[in-house]
Amino acid sequence: MTETLKGLLIGCGFFARNQLHGWSETNGAKIAAVCDLDAERARNYAAEFAIPAWHDTADVLSSGVFDFVDICTTMETHEELVALALRHRVPVIVQKPFAPDIATCRRIVANAAEAGVPVMVHENFRFQKIFRRIREILDSREIGEPTFGRLSWRNAIDVYSNQPYLLKTKRFMIMDVGIHMLDLARFLFGDAGDVSCFTQSVKQGLAGEDAATILLRHDNQVTSIVDVSYASHRFPNPFPQTLGEIEGRRGTIQILEGEVLLIHAGGKQRRETIKDDGRGWTSTPWTQIQDSVPRTQQHFIDTLLHGGGFETSAEDSLKTYALAEAAYRSAETGRVIDAKNL
Ligand code: NAD
Ligand code: 89V
């Protein structure tokens, strides 16, 4: 019988509720304790999810009880918390953004490699059903080798009420949302080097940019555009859908609202509507994101139990992060930046 891995979740805030629901569905793992500096938050989540223990310090990682840790705190805390887990040789899944800057990301990756402890970044957009399906269609070669792609996240939802720290984040849109799109671009089109980017600050009073347009040249010569905005007014609001298109040498995939794929191939058009897994705990408009969380976490556990590499390992995520860093440097300098030579 496969053992059940015992986990500690650190960070009982806004998004952790989705991760705790996700863990309650994950085969081969369970959350044995939750932790938050705010003891009341920890206690409340322990009660809500019938978790036997709660703590107000991550030092509990030294107890030897935990087979993994799920770090669901904001990025400025990640290096310290990952380092604590590495000291106690506890495998890690840590939320995006990995860290506030690429130097910190590189230190985390180097420390994890030296400790020989596996670290995965919880980057769940590529685990959305619609993108797993697009990957399948690309692998079938139905539209031929990709040549162009556009991934577009444009809405004006009030993201700030649930995530108030985004009001104060100096590197906001690319680091919070662009990082998802850049990982999708790598997932669908492969690694990229040259990056060009323009940023915009549209909404008054934000510390960082709330719109960015990024141009990528992938190693396989695919050109892709990643455009993200929290200042785009459409009705109904398309949040949290990623829209766009992928052109290949023999056809096109359009990613349309309502999780619809329009596949143009063989001289005809085919429509696929991707349905989420219908989990009782998901709620509009977050369903598409929430639905990806159990799949992301199951991949982490399956890899811990059965081997293989994490799709979004710390090392692999460094390549996505480098694209984000290059985008900021391009926006600052007005130049094309090689993300592979930062
Ligand atoms: P939040 O601020 O609501 O919650 C973070 C919690 O961590 C807080 O309760 C805080 O007290 C706690 N905390 C901070 N430092 C700690 C420490 N050293 N030890 C114990 N607890 C500590 O944040 P959030 O909105 O839930 O976001 C958390 C992370 O999840 C962010 O990095 C965000 O980008 C990411 N996020 C991801 C998705 C997604 O996967 N699609 C969606 C939303 C947010
Ligand atoms: O999904 C996330 O990472 C959130 C969101 C993109 C919705 O702002 O931070």
Side-chain angles (χ1 to χ4, degrees), residues 10-16 18-19 35-38 41 56-58 71-78 80-81 95-97 122-125 162-166 176 180 286 289 292-293:
I10 301 176
C12 300
F14 163 67
F15 199 73
N18 297 312
Q19 296 185 198
C35 166
D36 199 294
L37 294 175
D38 179 331
R41 285 186 171 189
D56 60 6
T57 167
I71 299 172
C72 190
T73 57
T74 44
M75 64 178 169
E76 69 284 352
T77 66
H78 291 171
E80 181 187 351
L81 289 170
Q95 256 293 353
K96 50 60 70 180
H122 180 127
E123 169 43 65
N124 55 40
F125 274 41
N162 290 322
Q163 301 173 250
Y165 51 86
L166 295 177
D176 185 63
H180 288 305
W286 284 84
I289 288 182
S292 71
V293 170

Side-chain angles (χ1 to χ4, degrees), residues 29 165 306 329:
Y165 51 86
H306 311 305
R329 295 189 193 181

Side-chain angles (χ1 to χ4, degrees), residues 48 82 88 99 152 199 213 219:
E48 180 177 348
V82 172
H88 300 297
S152 180
T199 56
T213 306
D219 297 351

Side-chain angles (χ1 to χ4, degrees), residues 281-295:
W281 54 269
T282 61
S283 56
T284 305
W286 284 84
T287 303
Q288 187 170 341
I289 288 182
Q290 292 168 316
D291 190 63
S292 71
V293 170
R295 225 165 281 121

Side-chain angles (χ1 to χ4, degrees), residues 89-273:
R89 310 196 59 71
V90 178
V92 178
I93 182 168
V94 56
Q95 256 293 353
K96 50 60 70 180
F98 199 1
D101 54 63
I102 196 157
T104 307
C105 293
R106 285 172 173 155
R107 281 198 305 273
I108 297 173
V109 169
N111 291 347
E114 188 180 344
V117 175
V119 176
M120 174 176 160
V121 174
H122 180 127
E123 169 43 65
N124 55 40
F125 274 41
R126 65 161 69 194
F127 289 96
Q128 291 178 11
K129 280 177 86 170
I130 195 166
F131 289 105
R132 303 313 275 191
R133 177 61 186 139
I134 292 170
R135 185 65 261 171
E136 281 176 359
I137 296 170
L138 291 177
D139 290 344
S140 76
R141 310 194 67 73
E142 181 178 9
I143 69 163
E145 187 189 346
T147 54
F148 170 81
R150 181 181 176 213
L151 296 164
S152 180
W153 167 289
R154 306 191 79 80
N155 61 68
I157 196 161
D158 166 21
V159 71
Y160 311 100
S161 299
N162 290 322
Q163 301 173 250
Y165 51 86
L166 295 177
L167 292 162
K168 307 188 292 290
T169 304
K170 285 198 170 33
R171 304 201 309 176
F172 163 29
M173 203 62 197
I174 296 171
M175 208 42 84
D176 185 63
V177 186
I179 201 89
H180 288 305
M181 302 293 116
L182 292 168
D183 184 66
L184 283 176
R186 289 187 57 237
F187 176 58
L188 298 173
F189 313 126
D191 285 341
D194 287 347
V195 179
S196 180
C197 172
F198 291 104
T199 56
Q200 294 167 281
S201 294
V202 179
K203 177 180 170 70
Q204 300 295 317
L206 295 176
E209 83 284 2
D210 58 350
T213 306
I214 306 172
L215 194 57
L216 303 175
R217 186 187 355 249
H218 295 260
D219 297 351
N220 56 14
Q221 298 310 300
V222 168
T223 296
S224 71
I225 300 169
V226 160
D227 59 292
V228 287
S229 163
Y230 267 133
S232 301
H233 303 276
R234 302 179 183 187
F235 307 97
N237 195 323
F239 175 92
Q241 298 174 87
T242 302
L243 307 176
E245 57 268 329
I246 299 164
E247 293 179 358
R249 295 187 183 281
R250 293 199 302 275
T252 297
I253 302 169
Q254 286 181 282
I255 312 168
L256 304 176
E257 293 200 33
E259 294 193 74
V260 169
L261 296 179
L262 215 45
I263 299 107
H264 307 252
K268 55 185 186 297
Q269 212 184 70
R270 180 176 85 251
R271 189 184 184 86
E272 291 187 17
T273 300

Side-chain angles (χ1 to χ4, degrees), residues 296-318:
T296 306
Q297 295 176 175
Q298 190 66 63
H299 169 69
F300 172 71
I301 294 301
D302 290 348
T303 305
L304 285 186
L305 286 173
H306 311 305
F310 298 133
E311 282 194 30
T312 55
S313 67
E315 198 166 359
D316 181 77
S317 300
L318 207 45

